[in-house]
Amino acid sequence: MTISTIGRRIRLGLIGGGPGSIIGETHRIAARVDGHYDIVAGALSSDPERARQAALNLGIEHERAYPSWQQMIEEEVARPDRIDVVAVMTPNDSHHAICMMALDKGFHVICDKPLANDLAQAREIAARVEATNAEFCVTYCYSGFPMVRQARDMVRAGELGEIRQVHLQYVQSYLAAHDLPAGWRTESGRAGRSLVLMDIGTHAFHLGAYVTGLDVTRVCADVGSAIPGRTIDDYVSALLRYENGARGSLWVTNAAAGSEHGLSFRIHGDKGGLEWHQEEPNRLIHRRHDGFEQIITRRLGPTMSEGAQRSTRIAIGHPEGYLEAFANLYTEFAERVAGRISEGERDDRPTLFPGVSDGVKGLAFVDASVKSMAAGAWQDVERA
Amino acid sequence: MTISTIGRRIRLGLIGGGPGSIIGETHRIAARVDGHYDIVAGALSSDPERARQAALNLGIEHERAYPSWQQMIEEEVARPDRIDVVAVMTPNDSHHAICMMALDKGFHVICDKPLANDLAQAREIAARVEATNAEFCVTYCYSGFPMVRQARDMVRAGELGEIRQVHLQYVQSYLAAHDLPAGWRTESGRAGRSLVLMDIGTHAFHLGAYVTGLDVTRVCADVGSAIPGRTIDDYVSALLRYENGARGSLWVTNAAAGSEHGLSFRIHGDKGGLEWHQEEPNRLIHRRHDGFEQIITRRLGPTMSEGAQRSTRIAIGHPEGYLEAFANLYTEFAERVAGRISEGERDDRPTLFPGVSDGVKGLAFVDASVKSMAAGAWQDVERA
Amino acid sequence: MTISTIGRRIRLGLIGGGPGSIIGETHRIAARVDGHYDIVAGALSSDPERARQAALNLGIEHERAYPSWQQMIEEEVARPDRIDVVAVMTPNDSHHAICMMALDKGFHVICDKPLANDLAQAREIAARVEATNAEFCVTYCYSGFPMVRQARDMVRAGELGEIRQVHLQYVQSYLAAHDLPAGWRTESGRAGRSLVLMDIGTHAFHLGAYVTGLDVTRVCADVGSAIPGRTIDDYVSALLRYENGARGSLWVTNAAAGSEHGLSFRIHGDKGGLEWHQEEPNRLIHRRHDGFEQIITRRLGPTMSEGAQRSTRIAIGHPEGYLEAFANLYTEFAERVAGRISEGERDDRPTLFPGVSDGVKGLAFVDASVKSMAAGAWQDVERA
Amino acid sequence: MTISTIGRRIRLGLIGGGPGSIIGETHRIAARVDGHYDIVAGALSSDPERARQAALNLGIEHERAYPSWQQMIEEEVARPDRIDVVAVMTPNDSHHAICMMALDKGFHVICDKPLANDLAQAREIAARVEATNAEFCVTYCYSGFPMVRQARDMVRAGELGEIRQVHLQYVQSYLAAHDLPAGWRTESGRAGRSLVLMDIGTHAFHLGAYVTGLDVTRVCADVGSAIPGRTIDDYVSALLRYENGARGSLWVTNAAAGSEHGLSFRIHGDKGGLEWHQEEPNRLIHRRHDGFEQIITRRLGPTMSEGAQRSTRIAIGHPEGYLEAFANLYTEFAERVAGRISEGERDDRPTLFPGVSDGVKGLAFVDASVKSMAAGAWQDVERA
């Protein structure tokens, strides 16, 4: 699509995601899968030499293998073949500075979640996106799964009736051992006000909002650690109230020993329910009030909802996974950017990929949950 | 065992569970499975004629097919072949009166859950059990499943390490339609202060306590209805704190359209976790911190824990179900009563079946949850 | 039903199933569950003293705790309260003698599978059943599961269209170790011509016929052992042709190390397919040619087929298991016998429980499979 | 890896896989995922104009968007920046001609399965590979899944003991409707001697050999159609004997109405068994003779076998799918070709990707199965 629209691939510059970074490799594969991007520039590490070497190993040319993200943004601006998009996959506490500069210099931005380290920063980025009229994606990547979009479309089409209950889980064991792993996440302050909420809680929260189309308005949260004496948050269980009065719950932890990933939603409306588990992403369990449970499986063609059809590549029974879901965000972003390049005007239709306002909402939820824990009571969630 | 101990079967009198009652049929099958009981008396309905006819249809003799439970208790006391045990399977609001009289007249009692209609009644029954030195079972029947006992034994043996998280669910659709079904449950007051908590919430609550051996000390609950405008409770989601500091959550509803039964627990300790679903009761998922997930399946023999071995009848791969679990409570109660008959003294060792204090704890949890909802804050759970 | 029909329970005499016998305990529980039988006589072991003691332990009266099955049949015939039904749960090689004598003396018979030790014996029993006009059940117990009957009814109602493929499995590990376990099964000749076919192959074979209503007409079988050097059969894989031209396969082994039970069928017709696994017996997977897979779950009421409704006791989401399936055969047999007692005439309507002709067909399949193996070619299966 | 070895990406030319081809898109994504290839030339259709347009749409330059595969091979040979690898994704009946010419002109070849339309053609290709010393991959793509390699490594390490049973399934519904779909597969002769065996049977066959390291030496097959009157094969069920005496079975059909994909293996050795289903590819069921079943799940790091570690990209709990499995073959082929380019000498170590001899073996199995069906008896499988 992008090639046929603008006669070339989208030019992508990477910030972060150097050697040993799984999320960096994920972004790069996501950019490659559908052939819409050329990765032509990069500042892949905060260490200048590692940054340059990592870029060269990817086949990036010498002069665009930058020692720092500031230099990349500065120099790319001046090039005739400048990058179209900056992709940010650095630790949380640098997102704000990078996004602000990239936006100011006229780039479109793909930013890893969470958008920023706190709500105020997130609001600033959102305002700058508005001011610069840029395209912006926050990689709440689980929203890229075809069956998540199938669920979203089924809710919108009223197949569940009015939504009444929303239950979300994300259950890992990354921090289940007593000794914390090293890394920026566990350094004081770098992961924001609550590690578990910032790191994975926002994913689960977004998934609920993405599928139902509903915002959480109030929360009563139990945030802390499952490990006695630990000061870093690794556990949150929360009671939720959605804007339409629906009730919900959220259980998110990275300290459940023996767990793997465990991201799931279970949603019920008047007419039935949907359940999805990221670890078996090609199946969507549909419980029907007037009928037996059915298993909706990903496939090509019109049996699927429109959003699911647009998000899948291969025939029935051939599983797609996490990388394809992530690639869906990149591909949809490429189409959006190609539209901007070819037409010069902004496409105001809603996107399937999460945008900057989704990023702000995530931080607002973190903010309200932490306040609720401190107060031992329900707390309103600020609107984006 | 009972026959070899006392030379005859335990004599059982039924109260409630007449025509159309599923729970009545369940109790009766549970009493029959292992051949320890003779069902010799009954007052199966509050309607005298229906009561008598139902008893006759079960093969009970004419003179012991009673028109009322009061008459049954009065007349049985005077018989030389009087019943040993009264089994109560009436609506909640009659449990207190029946249990009090049966205890006063010297019978051992099996009472369906919840023990009573409120905490005060429950405490009175518990005191009477203490005063009369009777054997007493509350049929939190899900504790009878072999794999629940396997889980309990594994926790006790330290195989999970210190318990850190306890998550409980019971998700039905019994009340998912807008129109409430008829019956005593939905008549004002008859089901106690909260239908959902009394009816199924206490089951889930008990399951958590039974497996972990831990009591809930504080709760913050969202209790109400998932259906706008409904005044009967059909939804509770709660944050839990256990006596050892473990965190937990509970999601119980009978208004999740399309759901079937959905009773489950997921428990994590330092060393791993266990997950069990009542709908696949012969499997216990064991997530290990240092190893792959393993599936512990019910079977005969020493591979199983002691509690599981005592609770199962058939060889590996042959599924047992709900009726066998229920029968385990009856069989263990028969052994207990046989011991009393033959020896005259009370066996003070702990029972595998739930007792009167478990019944009291259930009502204390209901009480605290309702208060928490009213206050919008955490609430202490009274001790039994 | 039986009590209301004839004013008393059916009187049952047991042959075999003494101490340590799992199948004996299974038969007894099956007889008790629904309260239709009184177990009043027994010859539970070939050892006279063990036989008597085992009967006494079950609460059978002294004079009916028989030292041998011959004595039981002889003496019961003469009693005014003589047993109605003889239940046979001895090793295969004694079925023929016991059944013939019991039939000759006028008893109805429940016989464990396989009916006899070879096809000729089986045909003799069938002829004697015909001659004596007795009721006869062969406990192919897996046909008692509600969802098996659901499947059968769906096939009969044409919901799968014309049956095209039938695939059967029964995969255990009972004989997976190099050293054979002790017991009559592994003693030369006692288990018939092929241990694996007699012991579990006939179960799988019957299940296919029961669900589809189709007989196998030709077979090409690979029968032998998975363990080099073993002379007892523990493996059969077979190509099948059904009477309507449908193709099929069967894989049955008790030498698949690590396996549990693994009895399953998968059947496809023009319009879709059904799959069932005995280890999750309350679920029936329904693959639809024009729609998504649906999961049919056991429940009460008219959502189920007639055969399933008649075979189930408890509400949706409460699992039933193997013992209830086995009990279904006993209960249906009780109804049949009660009809005979009250009316004196034979009910010629088809039964849901397997009869003597099913037993003969099982032996015919064993016979043809063994011949096919010897010939290395397809073999016709003799008609019952 | 390839870039660091040879300073550039591998240059790839595509034959076949034009508009509407799912397998074409699959090959292209597989080539892109890890960034080792540049797709620089293509002859994507047998229609010259469609071929050129399809190539242009992929961003291939005008002069390398060829109207025919013959022209592509001829012209690429003469270029200084000639392609390194030809990837063939045309209908079966053209593989032989294309492969022979590509090999003769000195290209390395990735060829979709089955290798050729009959065994003789396959042998010719294999001989030409030998003569030209080219690298060659047959895309039995399911061998690219990490958990398939995990299984293979576990077998090799003796974790199952001696292999005793191998059971293979591939159950689709592609041809379940009475009316055959249009396309080359259902045109007479184009899919070889047996559509079902060529199209999917060879996949299942290869999977068994790949995991166990064992060849099938004898087969007794039931090959035909599940649909009365159909002359194209859509069903095969077969009895197998492996070179070490292990027994096996294979059930492969594309006429099981309602089925999706259903590729699976179940393998048992002395010490336990492994089961894998392509539709849930990140899980490997490990049944242990001395222990409970465990679920081995794909993850990064040394918990996995060496072959699995080399074949996976993302962290525990994030599902990989079919496209990543396919990409593994491309990536491993790129490494192999890069080694050739940089060193000039052949690396004779075994490859993880399937080679030309695997392609020959597949055709030998088809050949023996068809002969067995005609003879109604067991048939030897010719050695590759």
Side-chain angles (χ1 to χ4, degrees), chain B residues 140-145 147-149 151-152 166-170 200-214 242 250 261-267 276-278 354 358:
Chain B
Y140 286 124
C141 52
Y142 304 105
S143 64
F145 278 102
M147 299 316 279
V148 170
R149 277 119 183 249
R152 171 186 167 105
V166 181
H167 300 279
L168 307 165
Q169 294 189 351
Y170 201 153
I200 58 174
T202 49
H203 269 307
F205 168 80
H206 178 260
L207 195 58
Y210 189 82
V211 172
T212 62
L214 297 170
Y242 282 83
L250 176 145
H261 195 260
L263 175 64
S264 70
F265 65 75
R266 183 166 173 179
I267 290 168
W276 180 80
H277 293 261
Q278 190 261 171
D358 297 294

Coordinates of all heavy atoms in Angstrom, one line a residue, chain B residues 140-145 147-149 151-152 166-170 200-214 242 250 261-267 276-278 354 358:
Chain B
Y140 N -20.1 -27.3 52.2 CA -19.3 -26.6 51.2 C -18.7 -27.7 50.4 O -17.6 -28.1 50.6 CB -18.2 -25.7 51.9 CG -18.7 -24.5 52.5 CD1 -18.5 -24.2 53.9 CD2 -19.4 -23.5 51.8 CE1 -18.9 -23.0 54.4 CE2 -19.9 -22.4 52.4 CZ -19.6 -22.1 53.7 OH -20.1 -20.9 54.3
C141 N -19.5 -28.1 49.4 CA -19.3 -29.4 48.8 C -18.0 -29.4 47.9 O -17.4 -30.5 47.7 CB -20.5 -29.8 48.0 SG -21.0 -28.5 46.8
Y142 N -17.6 -28.3 47.4 CA -16.5 -28.2 46.5 C -15.2 -28.6 47.3 O -14.2 -29.0 46.6 CB -16.4 -26.9 45.8 CG -17.7 -26.6 45.1 CD1 -18.6 -25.7 45.6 CD2 -18.0 -27.3 44.0 CE1 -19.8 -25.4 44.9 CE2 -19.2 -27.1 43.3 CZ -20.1 -26.1 43.8 OH -21.3 -25.9 43.2
S143 N -15.2 -28.6 48.6 CA -14.0 -29.0 49.3 C -13.9 -30.5 49.3 O -12.9 -31.1 49.8 CB -14.1 -28.5 50.8 OG -15.3 -29.1 51.4
G144 N -14.9 -31.2 48.8 CA -14.9 -32.7 48.7 C -14.1 -33.2 47.5 O -13.8 -34.4 47.4
F145 N -13.8 -32.3 46.6 CA -13.1 -32.8 45.4 C -11.6 -33.3 45.7 O -10.9 -32.6 46.4 CB -13.0 -31.7 44.3 CG -14.2 -31.6 43.5 CD1 -15.1 -30.6 43.7 CD2 -14.5 -32.5 42.4 CE1 -16.3 -30.4 42.9 CE2 -15.6 -32.3 41.6 CZ -16.5 -31.3 41.9
M147 N -8.9 -33.2 44.1 CA -7.8 -32.3 43.7 C -7.8 -31.1 44.6 O -6.8 -30.4 44.7 CB -7.9 -32.0 42.2 CG -7.8 -33.2 41.3 SD -6.5 -34.4 41.8 CE -5.0 -33.6 41.1
V148 N -8.9 -30.7 45.2 CA -8.9 -29.6 46.1 C -8.1 -30.1 47.4 O -7.3 -29.3 47.9 CB -10.4 -29.2 46.5 CG1 -10.4 -28.3 47.7 CG2 -11.1 -28.6 45.3
R149 N -8.3 -31.3 47.8 CA -7.6 -31.8 48.9 C -6.1 -32.0 48.5 O -5.2 -31.8 49.4 CB -8.2 -33.1 49.4 CG -9.4 -32.9 50.3 CD -10.7 -33.5 49.8 NE -11.8 -33.2 50.7 CZ -12.4 -34.1 51.4 NH1 -12.1 -35.3 51.3 NH2 -13.4 -33.7 52.2
A151 N -4.5 -30.0 46.6 CA -4.0 -28.7 46.6 C -3.8 -28.3 48.1 O -2.7 -27.8 48.5 CB -5.0 -27.7 46.0
R152 N -4.7 -28.6 48.9 CA -4.6 -28.3 50.4 C -3.4 -29.0 51.0 O -2.6 -28.3 51.7 CB -5.9 -28.7 51.0 CG -6.0 -28.7 52.5 CD -7.3 -29.4 53.0 NE -7.4 -29.7 54.3 CZ -8.1 -29.0 55.2 NH1 -8.8 -27.9 54.9 NH2 -8.2 -29.4 56.5
V166 N -4.0 -15.1 46.5 CA -5.2 -16.0 46.5 C -6.3 -15.4 45.6 O -6.8 -14.3 46.0 CB -5.7 -16.3 47.9 CG1 -6.9 -17.3 47.8 CG2 -4.6 -16.8 48.8
H167 N -6.6 -16.0 44.5 CA -7.6 -15.4 43.6 C -8.7 -16.4 43.4 O -8.4 -17.6 43.0 CB -6.9 -15.0 42.3 CG -5.9 -13.9 42.6 ND1 -6.1 -12.6 42.7 CD2 -4.5 -14.1 42.7 CE1 -5.0 -11.9 43.0 NE2 -4.0 -12.8 43.0
L168 N -9.9 -16.0 43.6 CA -11.1 -16.8 43.6 C -12.1 -16.3 42.6 O -12.4 -15.1 42.6 CB -11.7 -16.9 45.0 CG -10.7 -17.2 46.1 CD1 -11.2 -16.9 47.5 CD2 -10.3 -18.7 46.0
Q169 N -12.8 -17.2 41.9 CA -13.8 -16.9 41.0 C -15.0 -17.8 41.1 O -14.8 -19.0 41.3 CB -13.3 -16.9 39.6 CG -12.3 -15.8 39.3 CD -12.0 -15.7 37.8 OE1 -12.4 -16.5 37.0 NE2 -11.2 -14.7 37.4
Y170 N -16.2 -17.3 40.9 CA -17.4 -18.2 40.7 C -18.3 -17.4 39.8 O -18.9 -16.4 40.2 CB -18.0 -18.4 42.1 CG -18.9 -19.6 42.2 CD1 -19.1 -20.3 43.4 CD2 -19.6 -20.1 41.1 CE1 -19.9 -21.4 43.5 CE2 -20.4 -21.3 41.2 CZ -20.5 -21.9 42.4 OH -21.4 -23.0 42.5
I200 N -23.4 -18.2 46.3 CA -22.2 -18.7 45.8 C -20.9 -18.1 46.3 O -19.9 -18.7 46.3 CB -22.2 -18.7 44.2 CG1 -22.4 -17.3 43.7 CG2 -23.3 -19.6 43.7 CD1 -22.3 -17.2 42.1
G201 N -21.0 -16.9 46.8 CA -19.8 -16.2 47.3 C -19.2 -17.0 48.5 O -18.0 -17.1 48.6
T202 N -20.0 -17.5 49.3 CA -19.5 -18.2 50.5 C -18.8 -19.5 50.0 O -17.8 -19.9 50.6 CB -20.6 -18.6 51.5 OG1 -21.7 -19.2 50.8 CG2 -21.1 -17.4 52.2
H203 N -19.2 -20.1 48.9 CA -18.5 -21.3 48.4 C -17.1 -20.9 48.0 O -16.1 -21.6 48.3 CB -19.2 -21.8 47.1 CG -20.3 -22.9 47.4 ND1 -20.0 -24.0 48.1 CD2 -21.6 -22.9 47.0 CE1 -21.1 -24.8 48.2 NE2 -22.1 -24.1 47.5
A204 N -17.0 -19.8 47.2 CA -15.7 -19.4 46.7 C -14.8 -19.0 47.9 O -13.6 -19.4 48.0 CB -15.8 -18.2 45.7
F205 N -15.3 -18.3 48.8 CA -14.6 -17.8 50.0 C -14.1 -19.0 50.8 O -12.9 -19.1 51.2 CB -15.5 -17.0 50.9 CG -15.0 -16.7 52.2 CD1 -14.1 -15.7 52.4 CD2 -15.4 -17.5 53.3 CE1 -13.6 -15.5 53.7 CE2 -14.9 -17.2 54.6 CZ -14.0 -16.2 54.8
H206 N -15.0 -20.0 51.0 CA -14.6 -21.2 51.7 C -13.5 -22.0 51.0 O -12.5 -22.5 51.6 CB -15.7 -22.1 52.0 CG -15.3 -23.4 52.7 ND1 -15.1 -24.6 52.1 CD2 -15.0 -23.6 54.0 CE1 -14.7 -25.5 53.0 NE2 -14.6 -24.9 54.1
L207 N -13.6 -22.0 49.7 CA -12.6 -22.8 48.9 C -11.2 -22.2 49.2 O -10.2 -23.0 49.4 CB -13.0 -22.7 47.5 CG -12.3 -23.7 46.5 CD1 -12.5 -25.2 46.9 CD2 -12.8 -23.5 45.1
G208 N -11.1 -20.9 49.1 CA -9.8 -20.2 49.4 C -9.2 -20.6 50.7 O -8.0 -20.9 50.9
A209 N -10.1 -20.5 51.7 CA -9.7 -20.8 53.1 C -9.3 -22.2 53.3 O -8.3 -22.6 54.0 CB -10.8 -20.4 54.1
Y210 N -10.1 -23.1 52.6 CA -9.9 -24.5 52.8 C -8.5 -25.0 52.2 O -7.8 -25.7 52.8 CB -11.0 -25.3 52.1 CG -11.0 -26.8 52.3 CD1 -11.6 -27.3 53.5 CD2 -10.5 -27.7 51.4 CE1 -11.7 -28.7 53.7 CE2 -10.5 -29.0 51.6 CZ -11.1 -29.5 52.7 OH -11.2 -30.9 53.0
V211 N -8.2 -24.4 51.1 CA -7.0 -24.8 50.4 C -5.7 -24.2 51.1 O -4.7 -24.9 51.3 CB -7.0 -24.5 48.9 CG1 -5.6 -24.7 48.3 CG2 -8.1 -25.3 48.2
T212 N -5.8 -22.9 51.4 CA -4.7 -22.3 52.0 C -4.5 -22.5 53.5 O -3.4 -22.3 54.0 CB -4.7 -20.8 51.7 OG1 -5.9 -20.2 52.4 CG2 -4.8 -20.4 50.3
G213 N -5.6 -22.8 54.2 CA -5.5 -22.8 55.6 C -5.5 -21.5 56.2 O -5.1 -21.3 57.4
L214 N -5.8 -20.4 55.5 CA -5.6 -19.0 55.9 C -7.0 -18.4 56.0 O -7.8 -18.6 55.1 CB -4.8 -18.2 55.0 CG -3.3 -18.7 54.8 CD1 -2.6 -17.9 53.7 CD2 -2.5 -18.4 56.1
Y242 N -5.3 -11.6 53.6 CA -5.3 -12.8 54.4 C -4.4 -12.6 55.7 O -3.7 -11.7 55.8 CB -4.8 -14.0 53.6 CG -5.8 -14.6 52.7 CD1 -6.0 -14.0 51.5 CD2 -6.7 -15.6 53.1 CE1 -7.0 -14.5 50.6 CE2 -7.6 -16.1 52.3 CZ -7.8 -15.6 51.0 OH -8.8 -16.0 50.2
L250 N -11.5 -11.7 44.7 CA -12.6 -12.6 44.6 C -13.5 -11.9 43.5 O -13.8 -10.7 43.7 CB -13.3 -12.8 45.9 CG -14.6 -13.6 46.0 CD1 -14.6 -14.4 47.3 CD2 -15.8 -12.7 45.9
H261 N -20.5 -22.2 35.1 CA -20.3 -22.4 36.6 C -19.1 -21.6 37.0 O -19.2 -20.7 37.8 CB -20.2 -23.9 36.9 CG -20.3 -24.2 38.3 ND1 -19.3 -24.4 39.1 CD2 -21.4 -24.4 39.1 CE1 -19.7 -24.7 40.4 NE2 -21.0 -24.6 40.3
G262 N -18.0 -21.9 36.5 CA -16.8 -21.1 36.7 C -16.3 -20.9 38.1 O -15.7 -19.8 38.4
L263 N -16.4 -21.9 38.9 CA -15.7 -21.9 40.2 C -14.3 -22.2 40.0 O -14.0 -23.3 39.5 CB -16.4 -22.8 41.2 CG -15.8 -22.9 42.6 CD1 -15.8 -21.6 43.3 CD2 -16.5 -24.0 43.4
S264 N -13.4 -21.4 40.5 CA -12.0 -21.7 40.4 C -11.2 -21.0 41.4 O -11.6 -20.0 42.0 CB -11.5 -21.3 39.0 OG -11.4 -19.9 38.9
F265 N -10.0 -21.5 41.7 CA -9.0 -20.8 42.5 C -7.7 -20.8 41.8 O -7.4 -21.7 41.0 CB -8.9 -21.4 43.9 CG -8.3 -22.8 44.0 CD1 -7.0 -23.0 43.8 CD2 -9.1 -23.8 44.3 CE1 -6.4 -24.3 43.9 CE2 -8.6 -25.1 44.4 CZ -7.3 -25.4 44.2
R266 N -6.9 -19.8 42.1 CA -5.5 -19.7 41.6 C -4.8 -19.1 42.8 O -5.0 -18.0 43.2 CB -5.4 -18.8 40.4 CG -4.0 -18.7 39.8 CD -3.9 -18.2 38.4 NE -2.6 -18.0 38.0 CZ -2.2 -17.5 36.8 NH1 -3.1 -17.2 35.9 NH2 -0.9 -17.4 36.5
I267 N -3.8 -19.8 43.2 CA -3.0 -19.5 44.4 C -1.6 -19.5 44.1 O -1.1 -20.4 43.4 CB -3.4 -20.6 45.5 CG1 -4.8 -20.4 46.0 CG2 -2.4 -20.5 46.7 CD1 -5.4 -21.5 46.8
W276 N -7.1 -24.4 39.8 CA -8.1 -25.5 39.7 C -9.5 -24.9 39.3 O -9.9 -23.9 39.7 CB -8.3 -26.2 41.1 CG -9.2 -27.3 41.1 CD1 -9.0 -28.6 40.7 CD2 -10.6 -27.3 41.6 NE1 -10.2 -29.4 40.9 CE2 -11.1 -28.6 41.5 CE3 -11.4 -26.3 42.2 CZ2 -12.5 -28.9 41.9 CZ3 -12.7 -26.6 42.6 CH2 -13.2 -27.9 42.4
H277 N -10.1 -25.7 38.4 CA -11.4 -25.3 37.9 C -12.4 -26.4 38.2 O -12.1 -27.5 37.7 CB -11.3 -25.0 36.4 CG -10.5 -23.8 36.0 ND1 -11.1 -22.6 35.7 CD2 -9.2 -23.6 35.9 CE1 -10.1 -21.7 35.5 NE2 -8.9 -22.3 35.6
Q278 N -13.4 -26.1 38.8 CA -14.4 -27.1 39.2 C -14.9 -27.8 38.0 O -15.3 -29.0 38.1 CB -15.6 -26.5 40.0 CG -16.5 -27.5 40.6 CD -17.8 -27.8 39.8 OE1 -18.5 -28.7 40.2 NE2 -18.0 -27.0 38.8
P354 N -16.1 -29.8 56.0 CA -16.2 -28.5 56.6 C -17.2 -28.6 57.8 O -18.2 -29.2 57.7 CB -16.8 -27.6 55.5 CG -16.6 -28.3 54.3 CD -16.6 -29.7 54.6
D358 N -16.6 -23.3 59.9 CA -16.5 -22.8 58.5 C -17.8 -22.1 58.1 O -17.8 -21.2 57.4 CB -16.2 -24.0 57.6 CG -14.9 -24.7 57.9 OD1 -13.9 -24.1 57.7 OD2 -14.9 -25.8 58.4

